[in-house]
PDB file of all heavy atoms in Angstrom:
ATOM      1  N   ALA A 295     -13.138  -9.606  -9.209  1.00  0.00           N
ATOM      2  CA  ALA A 295     -11.738  -9.289  -9.460  1.00  0.00           C
ATOM      3  C   ALA A 295     -10.871  -9.523  -8.250  1.00  0.00           C
ATOM      4  O   ALA A 295      -9.737 -10.030  -8.359  1.00  0.00           O
ATOM      5  CB  ALA A 295     -11.625  -7.816  -9.910  1.00  0.00           C
ATOM      6  N   ALA A 296     -11.417  -9.211  -7.072  1.00  0.00           N
ATOM      7  CA  ALA A 296     -10.672  -9.438  -5.823  1.00  0.00           C
ATOM      8  C   ALA A 296     -10.489 -10.932  -5.570  1.00  0.00           C
ATOM      9  O   ALA A 296      -9.410 -11.360  -5.153  1.00  0.00           O
ATOM     10  CB  ALA A 296     -11.432  -8.821  -4.649  1.00  0.00           C
ATOM     11  N   SER A 297     -11.502 -11.724  -5.882  1.00  0.00           N
ATOM     12  CA  SER A 297     -11.392 -13.154  -5.672  1.00  0.00           C
ATOM     13  C   SER A 297     -10.372 -13.781  -6.601  1.00  0.00           C
ATOM     14  O   SER A 297      -9.566 -14.635  -6.174  1.00  0.00           O
ATOM     15  CB  SER A 297     -12.777 -13.799  -5.953  1.00  0.00           C
ATOM     16  OG  SER A 297     -12.716 -15.186  -5.784  1.00  0.00           O
ATOM     17  N   PHE A 298     -10.359 -13.315  -7.856  1.00  0.00           N
ATOM     18  CA  PHE A 298      -9.375 -13.886  -8.813  1.00  0.00           C
ATOM     19  C   PHE A 298      -7.938 -13.517  -8.371  1.00  0.00           C
ATOM     20  O   PHE A 298      -7.068 -14.392  -8.326  1.00  0.00           O
ATOM     21  CB  PHE A 298      -9.642 -13.352 -10.213  1.00  0.00           C
ATOM     22  CG  PHE A 298      -8.668 -13.852 -11.226  1.00  0.00           C
ATOM     23  CD1 PHE A 298      -8.880 -15.073 -11.864  1.00  0.00           C
ATOM     24  CD2 PHE A 298      -7.556 -13.109 -11.578  1.00  0.00           C
ATOM     25  CE1 PHE A 298      -7.976 -15.555 -12.792  1.00  0.00           C
ATOM     26  CE2 PHE A 298      -6.654 -13.584 -12.529  1.00  0.00           C
ATOM     27  CZ  PHE A 298      -6.857 -14.812 -13.137  1.00  0.00           C
ATOM     28  N   GLY A 299      -7.719 -12.253  -8.065  1.00  0.00           N
ATOM     29  CA  GLY A 299      -6.378 -11.810  -7.685  1.00  0.00           C
ATOM     30  C   GLY A 299      -5.892 -12.499  -6.415  1.00  0.00           C
ATOM     31  O   GLY A 299      -4.752 -12.967  -6.351  1.00  0.00           O
ATOM     32  N   ALA A 300      -6.770 -12.575  -5.410  1.00  0.00           N
ATOM     33  CA  ALA A 300      -6.376 -13.164  -4.131  1.00  0.00           C
ATOM     34  C   ALA A 300      -6.084 -14.666  -4.274  1.00  0.00           C
ATOM     35  O   ALA A 300      -5.093 -15.169  -3.738  1.00  0.00           O
ATOM     36  CB  ALA A 300      -7.461 -12.900  -3.089  1.00  0.00           C
ATOM     37  N   SER A 301      -6.986 -15.378  -4.957  1.00  0.00           N
ATOM     38  CA  SER A 301      -6.821 -16.831  -5.061  1.00  0.00           C
ATOM     39  C   SER A 301      -5.626 -17.206  -5.919  1.00  0.00           C
ATOM     40  O   SER A 301      -4.874 -18.128  -5.582  1.00  0.00           O
ATOM     41  CB  SER A 301      -8.095 -17.452  -5.626  1.00  0.00           C
ATOM     42  OG  SER A 301      -8.395 -16.922  -6.904  1.00  0.00           O
ATOM     43  N   PHE A 302      -5.383 -16.498  -7.020  1.00  0.00           N
ATOM     44  CA  PHE A 302      -4.307 -16.837  -7.902  1.00  0.00           C
ATOM     45  C   PHE A 302      -2.944 -16.574  -7.259  1.00  0.00           C
ATOM     46  O   PHE A 302      -2.045 -17.403  -7.336  1.00  0.00           O
ATOM     47  CB  PHE A 302      -4.407 -16.085  -9.230  1.00  0.00           C
ATOM     48  CG  PHE A 302      -3.352 -16.442 -10.217  1.00  0.00           C
ATOM     49  CD1 PHE A 302      -3.479 -17.575 -10.993  1.00  0.00           C
ATOM     50  CD2 PHE A 302      -2.222 -15.623 -10.394  1.00  0.00           C
ATOM     51  CE1 PHE A 302      -2.490 -17.929 -11.916  1.00  0.00           C
ATOM     52  CE2 PHE A 302      -1.245 -15.952 -11.305  1.00  0.00           C
ATOM     53  CZ  PHE A 302      -1.384 -17.122 -12.058  1.00  0.00           C
ATOM     54  N   LEU A 303      -2.795 -15.451  -6.636  1.00  0.00           N
ATOM     55  CA  LEU A 303      -1.500 -15.088  -6.040  1.00  0.00           C
ATOM     56  C   LEU A 303      -1.174 -15.937  -4.832  1.00  0.00           C
ATOM     57  O   LEU A 303      -0.003 -16.273  -4.573  1.00  0.00           O
ATOM     58  CB  LEU A 303      -1.447 -13.610  -5.643  1.00  0.00           C
ATOM     59  CG  LEU A 303      -1.391 -12.589  -6.759  1.00  0.00           C
ATOM     60  CD1 LEU A 303      -1.291 -11.168  -6.194  1.00  0.00           C
ATOM     61  CD2 LEU A 303      -0.203 -12.871  -7.690  1.00  0.00           C
ATOM     62  N   SER A 304      -2.183 -16.323  -4.055  1.00  0.00           N
ATOM     63  CA  SER A 304      -1.925 -16.995  -2.778  1.00  0.00           C
ATOM     64  C   SER A 304      -2.054 -18.510  -2.867  1.00  0.00           C
ATOM     65  O   SER A 304      -1.765 -19.184  -1.868  1.00  0.00           O
ATOM     66  CB  SER A 304      -2.851 -16.468  -1.695  1.00  0.00           C
ATOM     67  OG  SER A 304      -4.207 -16.761  -2.001  1.00  0.00           O
ATOM     68  N   ALA A 305      -2.481 -19.055  -3.987  1.00  0.00           N
ATOM     69  CA  ALA A 305      -2.698 -20.489  -4.076  1.00  0.00           C
ATOM     70  C   ALA A 305      -1.477 -21.340  -3.748  1.00  0.00           C
ATOM     71  O   ALA A 305      -1.583 -22.307  -2.939  1.00  0.00           O
ATOM     72  CB  ALA A 305      -3.211 -20.870  -5.478  1.00  0.00           C
ATOM     73  N   PRO A 306      -0.286 -21.059  -4.250  1.00  0.00           N
ATOM     74  CA  PRO A 306       0.881 -21.877  -3.874  1.00  0.00           C
ATOM     75  C   PRO A 306       1.189 -21.830  -2.382  1.00  0.00           C
ATOM     76  O   PRO A 306       1.438 -22.863  -1.766  1.00  0.00           O
ATOM     77  CB  PRO A 306       2.011 -21.241  -4.699  1.00  0.00           C
ATOM     78  CG  PRO A 306       1.342 -20.605  -5.858  1.00  0.00           C
ATOM     79  CD  PRO A 306       0.071 -20.067  -5.313  1.00  0.00           C
ATOM     80  N   ALA A 307       1.189 -20.603  -1.801  1.00  0.00           N
ATOM     81  CA  ALA A 307       1.456 -20.523  -0.357  1.00  0.00           C
ATOM     82  C   ALA A 307       0.375 -21.182   0.458  1.00  0.00           C
ATOM     83  O   ALA A 307       0.643 -21.771   1.509  1.00  0.00           O
ATOM     84  CB  ALA A 307       1.595 -19.013   0.032  1.00  0.00           C
ATOM     85  N   ASP A 308      -0.859 -21.114  -0.024  1.00  0.00           N
ATOM     86  CA  ASP A 308      -1.987 -21.752   0.668  1.00  0.00           C
ATOM     87  C   ASP A 308      -1.809 -23.254   0.703  1.00  0.00           C
ATOM     88  O   ASP A 308      -2.024 -23.939   1.722  1.00  0.00           O
ATOM     89  CB  ASP A 308      -3.298 -21.369   0.000  1.00  0.00           C
ATOM     90  CG  ASP A 308      -4.505 -21.856   0.764  1.00  0.00           C
ATOM     91  OD1 ASP A 308      -4.793 -21.306   1.835  1.00  0.00           O
ATOM     92  OD2 ASP A 308      -5.198 -22.764   0.267  1.00  0.00           O
ATOM     93  N   LEU A 309      -1.362 -23.833  -0.422  1.00  0.00           N
ATOM     94  CA  LEU A 309      -1.162 -25.276  -0.485  1.00  0.00           C
ATOM     95  C   LEU A 309      -0.013 -25.682   0.440  1.00  0.00           C
ATOM     96  O   LEU A 309      -0.136 -26.684   1.184  1.00  0.00           O
ATOM     97  CB  LEU A 309      -0.849 -25.664  -1.947  1.00  0.00           C
ATOM     98  CG  LEU A 309      -0.611 -27.144  -2.158  1.00  0.00           C
ATOM     99  CD1 LEU A 309      -1.908 -27.947  -2.093  1.00  0.00           C
ATOM    100  CD2 LEU A 309       0.097 -27.373  -3.514  1.00  0.00           C
ATOM    101  N   ILE A 310       1.104 -24.990   0.380  1.00  0.00           N
ATOM    102  CA  ILE A 310       2.262 -25.336   1.219  1.00  0.00           C
ATOM    103  C   ILE A 310       1.894 -25.202   2.679  1.00  0.00           C
ATOM    104  O   ILE A 310       2.293 -26.012   3.512  1.00  0.00           O
ATOM    105  CB  ILE A 310       3.454 -24.417   0.859  1.00  0.00           C
ATOM    106  CG1 ILE A 310       3.902 -24.675  -0.592  1.00  0.00           C
ATOM    107  CG2 ILE A 310       4.629 -24.679   1.815  1.00  0.00           C
ATOM    108  CD1 ILE A 310       4.292 -26.108  -0.895  1.00  0.00           C
ATOM    109  N   MET A 311       1.150 -24.164   3.004  1.00  0.00           N
ATOM    110  CA  MET A 311       0.744 -23.945   4.392  1.00  0.00           C
ATOM    111  C   MET A 311      -0.082 -25.127   4.900  1.00  0.00           C
ATOM    112  O   MET A 311       0.112 -25.617   6.028  1.00  0.00           O
ATOM    113  CB  MET A 311      -0.056 -22.648   4.524  1.00  0.00           C
ATOM    114  CG  MET A 311      -0.551 -22.337   5.927  1.00  0.00           C
ATOM    115  SD  MET A 311      -1.766 -21.023   5.927  1.00  0.00           S
ATOM    116  CE  MET A 311      -3.151 -21.874   5.141  1.00  0.00           C
TER     117      MET A 311
END
Side-chain angles (χ1 to χ4, degrees):
S297 178
F298 180 84
S301 59
F302 183 80
L303 288 183
S304 64
D308 187 70
L309 180 74
I310 297 302
M311 179 192 70

